Amino acid sequence: MISIFGKITLSFQTFRTHKLRSFLTTLGIVIGVMTVIAILSLIEGLNRSVAEQIQSLGSDLIYLQKFTWVSTGHRDLEKLANRPDLIPDDAIAITKLASVEIAIPEINRRLTNLKYRDNEVASPTITGSDENFAWVNNHIVESGRDLSRDDVLHRRAVGIIGSYIASNLFPDESPLGKDIYVNGHRVKIIGVFKEKGTFLGNSLDNFLLIPNTLYEKFFPRERGSIFSRVYGGYSIDIKPRTGKVEQAIDEIRELMRRRHGLTFDEDDDYELNTQQVLLDLYQNLTNVGFIAIVAIAAISLVVGGIGIMNIMLVSVAERTREIGIRKAVGASNQNILSQFLIESVVLALVGGIIGILLGMLLAALISAVSPLKAAVSLWMIALGFGFSASVGIFFGIYPARKAATLNPIEALRYE
Amino acid sequence: MPRRICRAVNIKKMYYRGKMTVEALRGVDFTIHANDYLSIMGPSGSGKSTLVHILSCLDTPTSGEYFLEDRQVSKYTDQELARVRNEFFGFVFQNFSLLPRLSALDNVAMPLLYAGTKKNDRVVRAREILDKIGLGDRINHRPNEMSGGECQRVAIARSLINKPRVIFADEPTGNLDSRTGAEIMEIFDRLVDEGNTVVMVTHDSNVAAHAKKIVKLKDGMIEYD
Ligand SMILES: Nc1ncnc2c1ncn2[C@@H]1O[C@H](COP(=O)(O)OP(=O)(O)O)[C@@H](O)[C@H]1O
Ligand SMILES: [Mg+2]
């Protein structure tokens, strides 16, 4: 049989004679593949940075809370609000579990601002926790000192600030030993955390850590709004022993059910959130992106495919005599079929390659002018190839069959 | 008695044009033996082309049987028919039917492409035949760069390249002036002298005179004298 290479050079001959028309025909595929490659590489880039950032949040912590991070369907806030508050004693009990390295209580709220003389930072987070908070959450004290056991026990009015607060409230001086005011209460700064950067665009350094005992004094837990009853209480940050996440979850579940006096037929009245849950949530978001891509791809590939079918039908009509001559000298239906099929696949692939290149270019361009970082991987290029080749085959088969089944004499008579 | 190559029995061919039916062939028997030199004569519209198209397997009869070496052609698959056209028969058309974009060499080598011959052998054999037919210096010319006589010689070379059992020619001199036509007929004469089998359609009695036997066709039937 004729070599594949021979057939491909044969089809390139035709493109040379119809340059402009071939180019216009592939435009649909070019645009489709380009868009898909650009969006995919942006999502992939986003995936990587989100994965990195979630990792940087703290490794594999389990968060025991009243609410779940991922809502499935509508959530009954009233029910969540009526769940028992979590308390620092829970952390002490959980720390004793075999598969848990340590558990700490953590409680947060957003302040309107923090001021020092003329300087101000807007909406910092204030965190109440204990002397283990920093290392459990991968915070490093850069200057000054960490919280101590005594700070917590004696409810000392001391705090450690994130680097964002440090550089904004104290641009020209050391924050150590300075007093700031929270809710009218004086807090002395004893340390500054090393910079952590941003997560999904938010600074991770705009926070103030104080002993949780002090936090309870500053913000007594009254029966507030339903939101504060759900979200305003303690979380327990649990660090499982390496490789023991599953066991830890089982043990915590058993312990908490016991502590809350739940009978076997009652549901859990707490949630165990992990970063996996966060990743899953993110995954759900990007799935929406993927659906959009599939839609764009489908539409543009159908448009491109119809274009290809059209040019191939024109080509078959134009070359009816050629087909007749080839069949008269011994070309089989199969030969003619593959000649035209290869032509439409090559046509589609040329569009696909241009689309891949333009898509990569577009991704690089977006990366250059925006904070989004695109990452093109091999599988996307393979996908682009696969896509366009399939379009070439799918939309080329009808014209190719039409050409292949022509009667030689009728084809020869064609003017 | 020379070996029989093919035999057509009671061949009929109908063309349907809307409500009209044209009976192009009305029961034709035809046998070709090795080294025959036949010419089919008859007025325009008598069914000459239709007959050679069926004999060369370019077209199929409406009824009747056609045997190639005693096998029924109607039982052939598309693939087998393609092989018959490729290896068994060569066909020379009145209007040459060359591919305009290909050189003389590539036109001549085209049947070998479908026979699966390797590229080098294709070039060598096509060049050989073009040399023999007197076009050795035209191998890279395209059809529009050659005269009618040269084009027809390229077409003859193409029909010969797979060493066919029968060479069919449908009015091969019809588009040529008489001097060039005579040159073409010399080629066919020589081919028959070399042992080839030629079946030629013509309505020119001077051309028909080259053949060893003349078959007359009228209104889709053979006239026996
Ligand atoms: N494709 C066709 N459709 C309809 N009629 C045809 C077709 N081909 C040939 N004919 C008719 O069949 C008859 C024989 O044609 P043809 O074999 O070409 O004759 P010749 O070659 O002897 O001139 C003519 O009447 C012609 O008009
Ligand atoms: Mg005719």
Side-chain angles (χ1 to χ4, degrees), chain A residues 153-409:
Chain A
L153 289 177
H154 299 124
R155 205 195 274 165
R156 284 188 188 136
V158 293
I160 303 166
I161 54 176
S163 62
Y164 180 85
I165 297 179
S167 56
N168 282 286
L169 288 191
F170 307 96
D172 309 314
E173 53 196 320
S174 167
L176 297 180
K178 304 284 179 344
D179 290 334
I180 51 176
Y181 289 86
V182 175
N183 240 12
H185 304 281
R186 188 176 57 83
V187 173
K188 188 166 105 180
I189 298 169
I190 55 165
V192 178
F193 287 121
K194 199 174 159 204
E195 184 177 343
K196 273 200 122 176
T198 57
F199 175 64
L200 300 176
N202 293 320
S203 173
L204 294 170
D205 304 300
N206 188 11
F207 79 105
L208 162 67
L209 172 68
I210 59 172
N212 61 296
T213 46
L214 185 69
Y215 185 104
E216 286 176 20
K217 177 178 151 196
F218 286 180
F219 308 103
R221 186 120 171 93
E222 78 274 356
R223 278 188 70 83
S225 70
I226 191 160
F227 275 100
S228 82
R229 281 164 60 210
V230 175
Y231 300 106
Y234 272 109
S235 294
I236 312 295
D237 305 0
I238 301 149
K239 188 177 173 64
R241 294 195 187 280
T242 2
K244 294 270 167 87
V245 181
E246 302 299 321
Q247 292 102 302
I249 287 175
D250 289 345
E251 288 179 14
I252 296 161
R253 183 155 282 149
E254 197 193 329
L255 176 73
M256 289 312 296
R257 290 186 67 85
R258 198 148 23 83
R259 285 175 70 84
H260 288 175
L262 295 176
T263 58
F264 74 94
D265 57 345
E266 283 176 301
D267 289 337
D268 286 350
D269 57 0
Y270 56 84
E271 302 287 343
L272 289 170
N273 294 311
T274 62
Q275 279 157 19
Q276 190 53 49
V277 173
L278 210 61
L279 279 172
D280 290 347
L281 176 74
Y282 173 73
Q283 201 65 58
N284 284 343
L285 288 177
T286 50
N287 283 348
V288 176
F290 272 108
I291 290 168
I293 290 181
V294 170
I296 293 171
I299 292 168
S300 57
L301 291 180
V302 166
V303 170
I306 289 171
I308 284 195
M309 179 141 78
N310 179 52
I311 196 180
M312 290 310 297
L313 284 173
V314 170
S315 175
V316 169
E318 271 182 359
R319 288 154 68 192
T320 302
R321 270 189 64 78
E322 174 188 333
I323 295 163
I325 292 169
R326 287 184 183 276
K327 292 192 92 168
V329 302
S332 63
N333 293 4
Q334 196 57 49
N335 291 141
I336 303 292
L337 184 89
S338 61
Q339 179 185 337
F340 281 90
L341 208 51
I342 285 174
E343 203 170 299
S344 71
V345 170
V346 168
L347 193 64
L349 274 180
V350 167
I353 291 169
I354 297 174
I356 289 170
L357 293 177
L358 287 181
M360 288 165 68
L361 199 71
L362 190 65
L365 223 76
I366 295 174
S367 302
V369 302
S370 79
L372 295 172
K373 288 285 162 275
V376 178
S377 19
L378 215 58
W379 66 265
M380 297 174 199
I381 294 173
L383 192 77
F385 268 104
F387 254 168
S388 37
S390 321
V391 168
I393 291 172
F394 186 81
F395 289 92
I397 197 96
Y398 171 68
R401 282 191 66 90
K402 208 172 151 149
T405 51
L406 280 174
N407 170 306
I409 288 303

